[in-house]
Amino acid sequence: MADPIAAISFADPHVDPYGHLGLVWNPDGSVTRQFEHPKTPVSSYDGSPILLVKDVPINQSKNTGARIFLPKEALESFPGRKLPLLIYFHSGGFVIGSVATTGFDDFHRALATEVPFVIVSIEHRLAPEHRLPAAYEDCLEALHWIKNSQDEWLEKYADLSNSFLMGSSSGGNIAYHVGLSASSCVDDLKPLNIKGLILHQAFFGGKKRTESELRALNDKFIPPCVTDVLWELSLPLGADRDHEFSNPVLSIKPGQFDQIKALGWKILMAGYENDALFDRQFQIAKMLEGEGIPVVANFVEGGYHGIDAFEFPKTKVLCEVVKEFIISFVTTA
């Protein structure tokens, strides 16, 4: 098993939470990135018997793009049949990482190998250079790029009528907010037809500590002092952690979820009870259920934040949960 702390951290989070993320805070509010996390080049997939992988640009002026994964076995087993499309948003607290970051790419690789769908992982701009809602805007723009795309792989192999949004940690937050935006412009997104959202260990916050956050005060991986820094760097200037981007439970608007209900979307929420963010995720699940949204809750005992990226047996279980969720839509549609 890989050590998640050794894999991504640089300093004791309780002494220097910025350094723990590989950052130096500057007096003008900017950060200096001390270290570029290792990246997996797309060329590493050359000759793979399992996956076809490529990187494509989306908006070159913003340096956004996507990494596309095609499962060879599924394509060869069902020639001429298009596969469901899973649009994925990576983790990193809105501040670090990319689709090519090795830890994230390893998760992509496992997901694409275990789940027989076309996967498009989206590259978005990072905070604090580009604070929220920049990541939301980039990912919504990516949906429009997909629906207009003349990319050969998407045209030949992806069934846009069976599309799903999935994100891990901050990517789960993105999937939630982009999903809300997408539900209000479904006609503009056709032929892309989103069927559901998958929020995996989603990153939400708030000013008042929850019980799961208090239990994690001495956590060595992602204690609340580190998530506080991520929110400080990513939220709009002057906003606190009760902002709607961080704590949507406090910002429900009348009719906000009417379109999602009308579309028949379901939301899968997956996580672990020992995750410092568990209470936030559970609150979101209960809020959505209270608004009449069908929620499939898959919260497992134990674990920690990011476990599915570091422990392959857990990754395989998550992949099965995701696969069953998506197939239930495709087979009943």
Side-chain angles (χ1 to χ4, degrees):
M1 170 185 137
D3 179 353
I5 291 100
I8 69 164
S9 66
F10 302 84
D12 184 332
H14 304 95
V15 175
D16 181 8
Y18 290 92
H20 182 68
L21 297 167
L23 307 173
V24 174
W25 181 83
N26 301 316
D28 64 0
S30 65
V31 296
T32 299
R33 299 177 187 272
Q34 294 180 291
F35 178 82
E36 184 173 1
H37 291 266
K39 293 183 177 180
T40 299
V42 74
S43 60
S44 69
Y45 290 93
D46 291 351
S48 168
I50 300 172
L51 297 171
L52 295 171
V53 185
K54 69 176 177 181
D55 290 337
V56 294
I58 291 178
N59 186 327
Q60 293 182 327
S61 69
K62 296 179 180 178
N63 201 29
T64 60
R67 179 162 286 194
I68 305 177
F69 297 80
L70 293 183
K72 283 186 177 180
E73 183 178 355
L75 295 175
E76 293 168 357
S77 300
F78 305 101
R81 174 177 152 187
K82 293 187 175 183
L83 303 174
L85 175 64
L86 181 61
I87 302 165
Y88 182 81
F89 310 122
H90 68 74
S91 56
F94 309 105
V95 173
I96 58 177
S98 75
V99 297
T101 297
T102 296
F104 300 163
D105 188 75
D106 288 347
F107 181 74
H108 296 148
R109 187 191 304 256
L111 191 64
T113 301
E114 299 292 327
V115 179
F117 311 130
V118 177
I119 298 177
V120 179
S121 184
I122 305 302
E123 184 81 83
H124 61 75
R125 292 171 294 170
L126 299 176
E129 296 85 356
H130 306 282
R131 292 174 175 267
L132 295 174
Y136 304 151
E137 294 167 351
D138 293 346
C139 293
L140 185 62
E141 181 180 32
L143 301 188
H144 286 274
W145 174 83
I146 290 170
K147 73 109 174 182
N148 289 319
S149 179
Q150 296 180 332
D151 179 84
E152 180 185 6
W153 287 10
L154 295 181
E155 286 188 325
K156 289 180 65 174
Y157 304 117
D159 179 4
L160 300 191
S161 69
N162 280 306
S163 297
F164 301 81
L165 306 186
M166 176 179 177
S168 299
S169 192
S170 57
N173 178 295
I174 292 171
Y176 171 86
H177 286 288
V178 171
L180 274 176
S181 297
S183 70
S184 65
C185 61
V186 289
D187 289 339
D188 291 340
L189 288 172
K190 290 180 179 178
L192 184 70
N193 182 26
I194 298 166
K195 295 289 189 68
L197 311 180
I198 302 166
L199 312 186
H200 170 229
Q201 291 197 287
F203 183 35
F204 295 101
K207 289 171 63 177
K208 184 179 179 180
R209 296 283 192 230
T210 66
E211 290 185 9
S212 64
E213 289 168 342
L214 291 172
R215 289 196 301 268
L217 287 176
N218 296 317
D219 187 84
K220 294 181 180 180
F221 180 34
I222 186 165
C225 62
V226 170
T227 58
D228 289 351
V229 164
L230 291 171
W231 287 121
E232 176 189 329
L233 295 174
S234 59
L235 287 170
L237 287 172
D240 61 35
R241 296 192 303 274
D242 280 340
H243 189 278
E244 63 182 307
F245 295 161
S246 170
N247 196 356
V249 172
L250 299 183
S251 306
I252 301 173
K253 302 175 181 67
Q256 183 175 2
F257 301 100
D258 287 355
Q259 190 61 22
I260 287 180
K261 287 189 286 187
L263 292 167
W265 289 8
K266 290 183 181 178
I267 299 179
L268 169 62
M269 297 206 63
Y272 292 85
E273 293 181 359
N274 281 359
D275 183 354
L277 304 178
F278 168 72
D279 285 346
R280 302 288 180 191
Q281 298 155 13
F282 192 76
Q283 288 172 359
I284 294 290
K286 289 301 180 184
M287 178 267 287
L288 292 169
E289 288 178 339
E291 293 293 319
I293 306 297
V295 174
V296 178
N298 189 270
F299 293 115
V300 181
E301 291 183 359
Y304 54 85
H305 195 75
I307 187 173
D308 294 314
F310 299 109
E311 298 188 19
F312 185 66
K314 300 291 187 183
T315 310
K316 289 196 69 171
V317 172
L318 173 68
C319 289
E320 284 300 314
V321 171
V322 170
K323 182 164 64 174
E324 289 177 11
F325 178 75
I326 292 177
I327 289 175
S328 71
F329 278 90
V330 175
T331 57
T332 60

